[in-house]
Amino acid sequence: MKAKLARLIKTTEPKQQIETPDDVEQAKWKALGGEILTFEKEWCVRLKEMYPLESMYHDFTYGEARRAVREATHPFFAVDVPTDRVLFMDTETTGLRGSGTSIFLIGFARIHEGHLEMVQYVLPHPAFETAFYYHFLNDIGDEVRFVTYNGKSFDWPQIKTRHTFVKSKVKELPAVGHVDLLHASRRLLKPTLESVSLKAVEAHFGHERVDDLPGFLAPMHYFQYVKEREPDILRPVIEHHHADCLSLVSLYTRLTHLVEGDGLMFGEERAHWLSDLGNEDAALKTYAQLDNPSKLAKMRQAMLLKRTGKIDEALPLFEQVGSIESLTELAKHAEHQTKDIDRAIVYTNRALELVEARRTVLKQTAFRAQRELQHRLARLERKRL
């Protein structure tokens, strides 16, 4: 009877919940403001922070950044989606290359009507990539434009590679476009800076980071975090990544101001860039507005005028440049278009004189140019006979 009563008492007592290591770790993430997202038997962490549009990062408010995104007309910076579909995205990985490299932190800044939203996703365990990508891809939607720093060559290919391992369970990758600010920084700042890393460009504009975790240490922090399951170990990496994303917002704003504005410092570069992108009308308009163009600008303008059938406007510019290349263009025009062989010979001889002057500096290049011009001169002499 006593045994039966003991069993009855035992069955009415509530069962104690056993706290698992996941429970302990998730509680720590929640204490840091993290949100636990689950998928099947996996989970990941989402961190969110909101900033009003009046908030400033470096020299620009997020409201100014929103205007830059909406109003950019330069082909490199212009986007064809609503502002909240433009994601200033960055990742942190366990290495730089190779099939074993994983992304353990991915995030983006996104500008809405009344605020900027900063979102980060943390992979708590290498085996939980399905939950990680499931929630990231669901949150960003079916069509986005990424603003990154080397993301077109690194971050996005890494995402695509890792997606192949989980694509049977998560949605397809979205339709994407890229504004890779590394390429913009190279074009605008490479002559000035030895390095165009994001941190170097920030420092160039007066915003050198203090007490920031070097990027190469991020994998070490992640591996240590996975081993100890202590979120505080990842805090410096998360802060570094957070700063990278917000820096992309500021840098996009600054660079669009440089190329969209009237700054003489970047006027020629803007024209060259438009020409390289195939926007010939805009490039010619920009070249025509330069107050004191260099010989390089005049030469590129002349070649563009020639290519677009405006040779009469190009000829005076070729004369002004007076280089081997421009004199060769004048010689070709005289020979083939106006049939003025004597003038073609004059231009060719002038070009040969420049080649002779260059020989002591650039022997191989000069010899090649000399051979080509001598061949042209011999043909012209035969035509004159």
Side-chain angles (χ1 to χ4, degrees):
M1 186 68 180
K2 285 182 179 180
K4 187 176 181 181
L5 186 59
R7 285 196 301 273
L8 287 171
I9 294 171
K10 219 180 244 189
T11 56
T12 57
E13 288 179 353
K15 289 185 179 179
Q16 287 189 343
Q17 291 287 335
I18 299 174
E19 196 172 48
T20 66
D22 277 356
D23 294 331
V24 175
E25 185 179 354
Q26 290 176 12
K28 291 177 181 178
W29 277 114
K30 289 176 182 177
L32 294 176
E35 190 181 354
I36 306 303
L37 307 176
T38 60
F39 180 70
E40 296 186 348
K41 295 182 180 180
E42 300 178 10
W43 61 277
C44 66
V45 182
R46 180 169 62 197
L47 299 161
K48 276 189 182 183
E49 196 161 345
M50 306 294 184
Y51 297 93
L53 293 183
E54 297 75 26
S55 298
M56 179 176 286
Y57 192 81
H58 292 168
D59 298 322
F60 302 97
T61 67
Y62 299 126
E64 290 175 290
R66 182 179 65 173
R67 284 193 295 276
V69 172
R70 286 178 170 178
E71 298 173 7
T73 58
H74 190 288
F76 184 87
F77 295 97
V79 293
D80 55 351
V81 293
T83 306
D84 62 0
R85 297 281 87 205
V86 179
L87 307 182
F88 297 84
M89 187 269 290
D90 187 43
T91 65
E92 297 293 339
T93 66
T94 57
L96 294 179
R97 295 289 177 194
S99 58
T101 299
S102 296
I103 298 171
F104 65 85
L105 178 59
I106 185 168
F108 55 82
R110 174 165 53 191
I111 305 173
H112 295 280
E113 279 299 316
H115 64 275
L116 177 138
E117 176 188 42
M118 179 67 214
V119 189
Q120 294 169 288
Y121 303 82
V122 182
L123 178 66
H125 190 283
F128 290 172
E129 280 188 306
T130 305
F132 184 63
Y133 286 105
Y134 174 84
H135 287 287
F136 167 68
L137 293 173
N138 275 7
D139 284 355
I140 67 174
D142 296 325
E143 184 173 16
V144 296
R145 300 294 177 263
F146 288 125
V147 179
T148 63
Y149 210 83
N150 199 32
K152 189 173 182 179
S153 299
F154 180 75
D155 299 81
W156 183 241
Q158 284 294 126
I159 291 172
K160 288 166 64 177
T161 297
R162 301 312 301 179
H163 178 261
T164 60
F165 296 102
V166 298
K167 65 181 181 180
S168 63
K169 294 185 178 181
V170 307
K171 67 185 293 184
E172 291 296 317
L173 293 171
V176 305
H178 296 272
V179 178
D180 195 327
L181 298 181
L182 173 62
H183 303 307
S185 296
R186 279 177 177 159
R187 291 203 68 122
L188 297 172
L189 302 172
K190 188 66 173 176
T192 307
L193 301 179
E194 291 184 9
S195 167
V196 287
S197 68
L198 181 57
K199 291 178 74 171
V201 171
E202 285 180 310
H204 172 72
F205 289 120
H207 301 287
E208 189 168 0
R209 295 194 196 181
V210 180
D211 298 328
D212 181 59
L213 179 79
F216 69 88
L217 292 179
M220 295 170 57
H221 279 254
Y222 179 65
F223 294 136
Q224 189 68 20
Y225 154 72
V226 171
K227 181 180 177 181
E228 298 187 20
R229 307 193 72 165
E230 179 52 65
D232 268 336
I233 295 172
L234 269 187
R235 193 187 294 237
V237 182
I238 290 169
E239 291 173 354
H240 166 85
H241 175 261
H242 190 281
D244 278 350
C245 291
L246 295 185
S247 187
L248 292 175
V249 180
S250 175
L251 185 59
Y252 173 90
T253 309
R254 181 181 293 280
L255 295 181
T256 55
H257 283 189
L258 289 176
V259 299
E260 299 279 358
D262 299 324
L264 296 178
M265 181 179 180
F266 295 102
E268 288 193 11
E269 183 53 51
R270 184 174 194 272
H272 300 336
W273 202 349
L274 288 166
S275 178
D276 291 343
L277 290 168
N279 197 334
E280 295 173 342
D281 291 340
L284 288 173
K285 183 179 178 181
T286 306
Y287 280 124
Q289 292 172 342
L290 298 176
D291 290 335
N292 188 26
S294 65
K295 285 189 175 183
L296 173 61
K298 289 180 180 178
M299 186 65 188
R300 292 200 59 168
Q301 181 184 9
M303 292 301 292
L304 188 54
L305 286 166
K306 176 188 173 184
R307 190 163 69 244
T308 54
K310 300 174 182 176
I311 188 63
D312 291 340
E313 296 178 46
L315 294 176
L317 291 171
F318 285 135
E319 289 277 9
Q320 292 172 31
V321 173
S323 65
I324 296 169
E325 294 78 11
S326 67
L327 290 169
T328 300
E329 289 296 328
L330 290 167
K332 288 193 288 187
H333 181 263
E335 177 186 0
H336 300 297
Q337 303 302 318
T338 62
K339 309 300 181 183
D340 190 337
I341 303 302
D342 289 336
R343 181 169 289 275
I345 290 174
V346 170
Y347 285 133
T348 304
N349 280 322
R350 283 173 58 189
L352 277 168
E353 290 172 7
L354 292 178
V355 168
E356 287 294 329
R358 184 191 284 183
R359 282 179 61 181
T360 57
V361 182
L362 298 169
K363 289 186 178 180
Q364 288 299 112
T365 304
F367 280 135
R368 185 167 59 251
Q370 185 180 42
R371 286 196 301 271
E372 291 172 357
L373 287 167
Q374 286 174 338
H375 178 73
R376 179 180 298 279
L377 185 61
R379 186 179 69 248
L380 290 167
E381 293 287 2
R382 287 195 300 272
K383 283 188 175 183
R384 188 163 60 173
L385 294 175

